[in-house]
Amino acid sequence: MAGIRSIGWWVPKARRAAHEIADDYGLALDAIVKLGLRTKAVPGDDDHPSTMGARATRHALEAARLDVDDLDLLLFAGVTRDWPAPWVCAFGVLHELGARRAAGLDIANRCAGVIDALWLAKALVESGAHRTVAVCCADRYDHMMIPRRAELVTEAAYAAGAATAIVTADAGNHIVAWSHLTNPDLSVHTAGGPLAGGTRRPVDDAAVRESMQHWRSRLAIAASESIARYSADADRHNYRRLFEQTGWTGVDFVACSPMVPGPQLDVLDEIGIDARATLFTIPHLGHIGPADLLLILGVATAVGRPVGPRVTLSVRTPVYASALAIAAHSEDLAIRLAGEGVDLALWAPEHEHGDARG
């Protein structure tokens, strides 16, 4: 059985405070405070998906007591890229690492990519195709999110950073179940993202004049309400399937990272999962993307939160939602940790404020 042997992270040290973020995006400070955002990580000139991903992967390998040459495959599951397609970020990360022996593959599935990549890594390790697989998530969004043009307050939360999980057969846990639910209204596949930069609308002078290469929400109110209903149904479906596959009757810890926690916490409560059985990194780091889930699991473990032997990861996007179950061999997952750029003291018990529904 394959599981997560280690998690490594790298987050830029620079931060923007809530009042600075509000000013950057032309938003009221109250809106940022209501979102729960206190600070967010800000990338430097050399902080790109490939460079940040390599730093996080190096930390993960060191925590696992492995060398770069031990790496067989790197699955890159981030959202953003250093350069447009056909460039493959996995090979950019491998180049930064000097990992000339490993294979590479990009998985593009928004924030759900990390869950699908972990499930694929498990299957490849258990098949014998690979011994050591890295699932790497690294993102920066500042080239797409334009200050003072935010259409939604949540756009101000997008930040930068990276996290990597090393999957092997000798981990102290095993990945035991996976589920997904695709939104039957597939028309929402265009929700959120630039309008220009692909074959339907190249980036030309006209597109640049209209800022079409930048993020647009592109959702009507009716579509947003429909997505909210789908998201709740997806959680119910995915957790039911995880329970069926594992035989579990409950969960000890959940790694999820909704921009607005309330609706998802309500569904978890309905399922019978305590809202306190999680931890959120967005208030202090901002929304980094798929890396959020690995950071949540890593931070919770590092600060001594009672993660327990039954852990789930779950993500909801407008068009697709997935969930993963990880079972410990003993009382906890025994995941080894290393990283930089995260002040773990911010999640110490005296700094926690209970339910974060917002």
Side-chain angles (χ1 to χ4, degrees):
M1 300 289 284
I4 298 176
R5 180 168 171 172
S6 67
I7 293 175
W9 60 82
W10 191 92
V11 177
K13 293 180 181 178
R15 298 287 188 272
R16 296 290 280 174
H19 69 278
E20 294 173 308
I21 297 168
D23 184 62
D24 289 342
Y25 286 84
L27 298 167
L29 178 58
D30 285 350
I32 300 297
V33 171
K34 186 175 181 181
L35 188 62
L37 191 62
R38 301 168 194 171
T39 61
K40 74 173 185 177
V42 179
D45 292 342
D46 192 40
D47 298 337
H48 301 287
S50 67
T51 57
M52 293 187 293
R55 295 166 198 156
T57 302
R58 197 174 296 280
H59 282 304
L61 287 168
E62 290 171 355
R65 300 172 188 169
L66 297 170
D67 296 324
V68 168
D69 288 341
D70 292 319
L71 189 60
D72 296 314
L73 171 67
L74 186 138
L75 300 174
F76 182 81
V79 175
T80 59
R81 303 288 188 274
D82 301 35
W83 289 285
W87 186 76
V88 178
C89 196
F91 292 109
V93 175
L94 292 174
H95 171 71
E96 294 288 335
L97 287 169
R100 296 174 179 84
R101 191 184 68 81
L105 174 67
D106 280 6
I107 294 178
N109 204 7
R110 296 200 180 206
C111 288
V114 62
I115 289 178
D116 297 341
L118 287 168
W119 188 246
L120 176 58
K122 161 201 163 67
L124 290 170
V125 170
E126 292 181 355
S127 73
H130 297 294
R131 291 170 58 88
T132 304
V133 179
V135 173
C136 175
C137 308
D139 286 292
R140 66 179 290 176
Y141 298 89
D142 55 325
H143 64 295
M144 291 193 295
M145 303 294 183
I146 303 304
R148 297 196 174 275
R149 293 197 59 173
E151 296 177 339
L152 299 170
V153 67
T154 51
E155 292 176 19
Y158 282 80
T164 296
I166 301 297
V167 177
T168 65
D170 58 358
N173 59 81
H174 51 277
I175 298 167
V176 291
W178 173 88
S179 179
H180 86 284
L181 186 69
T182 299
N183 190 336
D185 180 9
L186 287 170
S187 68
V188 299
H189 73 92
T190 60
L195 290 171
T199 60
R200 292 178 184 256
R201 187 64 169 93
V203 177
D204 53 22
D205 290 343
V208 171
R209 282 195 297 272
E210 297 179 35
S211 294
M212 297 177 71
Q213 78 276 23
H214 298 141
W215 191 277
R216 302 286 181 88
S217 67
R218 307 207 300 274
L219 273 181
I221 292 176
S224 297
E225 293 172 347
S226 175
I227 289 172
R229 291 191 295 271
Y230 152 73
S231 296
D233 288 342
D235 273 341
R236 297 182 186 103
H237 168 87
N238 287 334
Y239 276 89
R240 182 175 65 251
R241 291 287 296 122
L242 293 185
F243 290 163
E244 289 172 354
Q245 293 173 60
T246 60
W248 295 352
T249 57
V251 172
D252 300 304
F253 186 81
V254 176
C256 61
S257 190
M259 296 285 261
V260 180
Q264 189 163 21
L265 292 179
D266 288 342
V267 175
L268 292 179
D269 183 63
E270 174 190 319
I271 295 169
I273 299 172
D274 193 326
R276 293 170 295 181
T278 189
L279 174 151
F280 294 109
T281 55
I282 287 179
H284 300 297
L285 302 179
H287 177 50
I288 296 175
D292 286 352
L293 296 195
L294 299 181
L295 282 164
I296 289 167
L297 188 53
V299 168
T301 302
V303 301
R305 284 285 298 270
V307 172
R310 303 171 301 176
V311 173
T312 60
L313 283 64
S314 61
V315 169
R316 313 186 302 180
T317 76
V319 75
Y320 178 83
S322 59
L324 187 83
I326 308 172
H329 294 166
S330 57
E331 291 301 311
D332 59 57
L333 301 183
I335 295 174
R336 299 170 182 172
L337 308 169
E340 59 182 300
V342 176
D343 181 3
L344 295 172
L346 294 170
W347 289 273
E350 61 268 23
H351 291 285
E352 290 291 287
H353 298 285
D355 198 318
R357 290 170 196 269

